[in-house]
Amino acid sequence: MELIGRIFALAITAIFVQNFVLSRFLGLCPYIGVSKKLDSALGMGMAVIFVMTMASTFTWLIQSYLLIPLKLEFLQTIAFILTIASLVQLVEMVIQKTAPALYKALGVFLPLITTNCAVLGVAILNINQELNFIGAILNGLFAGLGFTLVLVLMAGIRERLDKAELPASMKGIPIAMIVAGCMALAFLGFSGLNI
Amino acid sequence: MKLMNVFSKGLVKENPVFVMALGLCPTLAVTTSVKNALGMGFAATFVLVFSNIFISLIKNFIPTKIRIPSYIVIIASFVTIVDLTMNAFLPEIHKSLGLFIPLIVVNCMILGRAEAFASKNNTITSIMDGFGMGLGFTLALVVISGIRELVGAGQFFGIDIMSAGYKPVLVAILAPGAFLVMGLLMGLLNLKKEK
Amino acid sequence: MKYYFKLGVILLLITAVASGVLAVVNNYTKPLIAQNKQKTEEEARRMVLPKAETFETDSIEIQEAKVKPDPLMIQKESDKSSYFKYYIGKDEAGEVTGYTFVARKYGYSSNIETMVGVKPDLKINKIKVINQAETPGLGANCENEDFTKNFIGRTIPKLLVDKDGGDIESLTGATITSRAIINSIKDGLQNLKQALSSSDNNEEDKE
């Protein structure tokens, strides 16, 4: 029972209270770059959820069974980024072979994910927060969900912004930033939650 | 003359933050104070200059197929060096930048310059490009953090400069403020460009 | 096939060289990083207990773990029975001028470490936050003198934040941070009391 409570708390924290994009400032490049259309935002979100969960799993195993026993913690950054890069490549190849339909939907986003700092960010945060194996996997999943949620919300707003009459100088990224600021303001309200 | 152009374009004309919208995550996350912004700016400049040097030196020995992974390893090494040395000599700034030091690895600005510039140019020009881009990045960070610190805390570089009666607008230093300041600044720059 | 083998070797070579360089840098910086941590603690110790000339360290074992193990966190061996480490400050004449310890608790987004200086009568002399990464503008203000001066002269029952009916003014918009600091200090004081009563039982009577 306690486990379920903790999982719920972890989910609320990762998705709302300390949302990866709006409160931790991770993954902003895709957040601004891929939020122009709703369906591409959804595709990107799904790909990120998938890679974040996988990356959390593998980086946690590498840290616990390779880096710590061998006292090589200083290689963390190199090891993690290489893991993520190869993972993304592997996922791309597997999906291409086994699920062409899925590949068609996610394919273009996968190469972009290697340099999405949210993925490396969640891998390092899992270690910093001393989560165990289950905790790390779940945290990766929830962080991905939180990212997708705000990405899709943003895309919905930006599709409408296209039709709004804006001063020319604010079009594009500037107004997206302002919208993101308003969303962050709303999400700041969650920080009062006591979990 | 040409070298000066390579250097100065990074400062304003091709400013990595305001014009190219690269490296947004650290730009927004660490600009809560000018001190942090300078720390981040110099750390990123160091990594950028040295990875540019190395990549331009060994560009002819690396087969195209493994170009990106090799660049990532080189960049990650310099990031780890910065991480360790800052922890040893500037523990205060290291602590407040925290997660965002290892995340310099996935700063798209650095991989972007490696791929777009250092892999095609000689070492001297690559160094100039690295310095120009790095200082442009630092400049942008200092401008944003200057505004946020002044409005949000009534200070500049940790020194009170507003009169005692000034009540800080806390939101500027919190997450939403980062997005709002960034959006407004970009809008202003666009407005200036149009004229 | 041979081509791919060559690619692998080149990549391996680059990674090996990089790891070697990093090992050297790590070897050089590691003692410095440890030294830094010690230095900050030493300075903080002197700050919260300025009268003390020398410090002696002592520790007691605390039997049962106070917090229930978190099912999603790494369980450490030390959670089962941990040691409470404290320092005894003495002046030139060798008289005990007070005690210091580091109080530690997870706040809103980071582990907060506070150096606490306690007078011999177990009233707080002064505290200093030595490690935190709370939200800038909110929780991070816990380092300010405005907040830490609240603690001077307090005893265990007086450690309560205003939201919980006490009279320590909590930081604006950062009750969680304030509460974490207060609770960590309270736990530490209780451990210190226990430690002193068990070690000094025959010397002097503490209440």
Side-chain angles (χ1 to χ4, degrees):
Chain A
M1 202 52 223
E2 202 200 326
L3 182 69
I4 297 172
R6 268 296 292 154
I7 293 176
F8 187 68
L10 193 72
I12 298 294
T13 308
I15 299 175
F16 296 109
V17 182
Q18 296 190 340
N19 184 281
F20 261 57
V21 180
L22 297 177
S23 141
R24 285 195 196 272
F25 299 108
L26 293 170
L28 286 176
C29 292
Y31 179 61
I32 299 294
V34 201
S35 59
K36 286 184 200 112
K37 287 245 152 43
L38 200 55
D39 43 348
S40 57
L42 208 59
M44 182 68 173
M46 291 303 143
V48 167
I49 292 179
F50 192 63
V51 174
M52 267 186 158
T53 317
M54 298 280 280
S56 297
T57 315
F58 284 98
T59 51
W60 193 90
L61 290 173
I62 286 176
Q63 173 83 12
S64 313
Y65 293 107
L66 218 66
L67 298 183
I68 292 181
L70 296 175
K71 296 213 176 11
L72 289 174
E73 286 102 329
F74 62 93
L75 287 181
Q76 194 194 50
T77 315
I78 281 198
F80 280 17
I81 187 72
L82 283 181
T83 313
I84 292 168
S86 9
L87 201 67
V88 170
Q89 198 94 100
L90 194 76
V91 167
E92 199 179 345
M93 286 191 305
V94 171
I95 294 185
Q96 198 174 7
K97 287 265 157 60
T98 56
L102 191 64
Y103 181 76
K104 224 175 159 189
L106 302 186
V108 284
F109 305 112
L110 282 169
L112 288 175
I113 291 177
T114 313
T115 53
N116 180 346
C117 52
V119 181
L120 184 60
V122 78
I124 299 176
L125 277 173
N126 287 337
I127 308 297
N128 286 356
Q129 295 180 341
E130 295 176 358
L131 293 170
N132 65 16
F133 189 49
I134 309 286
I137 298 177
L138 287 173
N139 199 30
L141 173 70
F142 295 142
L145 282 173
F147 176 81
T148 308
L149 175 73
V150 291
L151 186 67
V152 168
L153 283 177
M154 184 69 167
I157 297 174
R158 278 183 84 174
E159 278 194 350
R160 280 176 206 204
L161 271 183
D162 279 348
K163 299 188 184 78
E165 274 187 43
L166 286 167
S169 58
M170 288 303 281
K171 272 190 180 135
I173 298 178
I175 193 68
M177 283 285 172
I178 303 288
V179 171
C182 298
M183 282 169 75
L185 209 55
F187 270 67
L188 199 62
F190 290 116
S191 69
L193 283 180
N194 196 359
I195 353 178
Chain B
M1 197 56 223
K2 201 182 148 264
L3 274 184
M4 267 335 273
N5 276 343
V6 171
F7 173 73
S8 62
K9 74 178 185 321
L11 291 181
V12 184
K13 211 170 79 204
E14 285 181 34
N15 188 292
V17 175
F18 289 128
V19 182
M20 315 217 290
L22 291 174
L24 286 176
C25 303
T27 307
L28 297 185
V30 306
T31 48
T32 49
S33 72
V34 178
K35 218 187 262 173
N36 284 353
L38 277 177
M40 185 49 153
F42 287 133
T45 309
F46 175 87
V47 175
L48 192 54
V49 170
F50 278 89
S51 57
N52 265 5
I53 293 177
F54 268 75
I55 287 162
S56 66
L57 279 177
I58 60 168
K59 61 176 186 284
N60 295 330
F61 304 105
I62 300 177
T64 3
K65 277 226 156 134
I66 52 162
R67 209 178 58 238
I68 301 289
S70 319
Y71 294 170
I72 290 180
V73 172
I74 294 172
I75 295 169
S77 315
F78 284 112
V79 169
T80 314
I81 292 176
V82 167
D83 193 3
L84 292 171
T85 23
M86 276 183 104
N87 198 351
F89 296 104
L90 300 164
E92 282 298 310
I93 296 182
H94 181 266
K95 220 185 298 164
S96 51
L97 294 180
L99 181 65
F100 285 92
I101 297 180
L103 287 184
I104 296 176
V105 179
V106 281
N107 188 325
C108 11
M109 174 182 81
I110 292 171
L111 194 63
R113 288 329 284 174
E115 168 82 351
F117 200 92
S119 65
K120 297 190 185 83
N121 288 282
N122 65 26
T123 312
I124 307 288
T125 17
S126 299
I127 295 176
M128 290 316 266
D129 177 71
F131 265 117
M133 284 291 162
L135 290 182
F137 181 66
T138 313
L139 187 74
L141 255 62
V142 168
V143 170
I144 299 171
S145 62
I147 297 174
R148 286 182 68 191
E149 199 183 344
L150 189 68
V151 179
Q155 295 177 326
F156 187 79
F157 212 76
I159 304 158
D160 285 294
I161 53 168
M162 291 298 216
S163 65
Y166 176 72
K167 220 167 163 346
V169 187
L170 202 52
V171 76
I173 235 171
L174 298 177
F179 289 108
L180 296 175
V181 169
M182 181 76 191
L184 291 174
L185 271 177
M186 282 178 128
L188 268 178
L189 280 176
N190 283 346
L191 196 67
K192 212 174 146 247
K193 228 185 293 166
E194 274 164 30
K195 275 182 185 166
Chain C
M1 201 58 220
K2 217 175 157 191
Y3 175 66
Y4 283 99
F5 187 69
K6 191 183 149 204
L7 290 186
V9 170
I10 294 181
L11 202 55
L12 195 71
L13 214 69
I14 296 176
T15 320
V17 171
S19 311
V21 172
L22 291 184
V24 172
V25 176
N26 181 52
N27 228 349
Y28 176 67
T29 52
K30 211 174 183 182
L32 282 174
I33 293 167
Q35 235 174 48
N36 271 338
K37 197 173 152 57
Q38 260 181 353
K39 215 176 112 197
T40 3
E41 282 196 10
E42 184 64 30
E43 272 167 13
R45 202 170 290 130
R46 298 235 172 257
M47 215 207 100
V48 294
L49 215 60
K51 271 194 224 150
E53 201 61 38
T54 53
F55 287 97
E56 283 169 24
T57 172
D58 204 350
S59 60
I60 62 158
E61 199 177 348
I62 312 158
Q63 282 305 326
E64 71 275 52
K66 279 215 176 110
V67 266
K68 263 199 234 160
D70 191 316
L72 294 179
M73 304 268 256
I74 294 172
Q75 305 307 324
K76 280 193 203 135
E77 284 300 314
S78 59
D79 275 356
K80 284 166 202 146
S81 72
S82 54
Y83 283 91
F84 173 71
K85 196 176 169 196
Y86 62 97
Y87 286 78
I88 307 164
K90 292 185 174 165
D91 63 8
E92 284 160 357
E95 283 288 303
V96 175
T97 57
Y99 308 92
T100 72
F101 60 87
V102 179
R104 209 174 271 114
K105 207 178 181 107
Y106 197 83
Y108 181 66
S109 59
S110 67
N111 251 319
I112 309 172
E113 294 186 347
T114 318
M115 180 65 76
V116 187
V118 188
K119 288 186 198 154
D121 59 356
L122 288 184
K123 273 186 183 156
I124 294 175
N125 186 40
K126 214 169 182 187
I127 69 161
K128 182 175 164 56
V129 178
I130 52 176
N131 209 345
Q132 56 88 12
E134 302 289 285
T135 323
L138 298 175
N141 288 343
C142 66
E143 285 192 351
N144 292 356
E145 190 77 27
D146 283 344
F147 179 66
T148 56
K149 70 167 189 235
N150 267 310
F151 288 83
I152 297 171
R154 284 185 191 269
T155 50
I156 295 172
K158 287 270 179 65
L159 281 169
L160 259 184
V161 69
D162 49 5
K163 294 267 167 66
D164 299 336
D167 59 352
I168 297 181
E169 205 179 312
S170 59
L171 292 159
T172 322
T175 319
I176 299 174
T177 308
S178 316
R179 210 178 267 145
I181 295 177
I182 290 167
N183 287 339
S184 68
I185 295 178
K186 204 190 260 176
D187 287 349
L189 275 177
Q190 244 138 20
N191 287 335
L192 183 68
K193 203 172 170 186
Q194 196 190 329
L196 293 178
S197 63
S198 66
S199 70
D200 295 348
N201 232 351
N202 36 8
E203 285 175 32
E204 48 190 308
D205 203 15
K206 298 246 184 275
E207 296 183 353

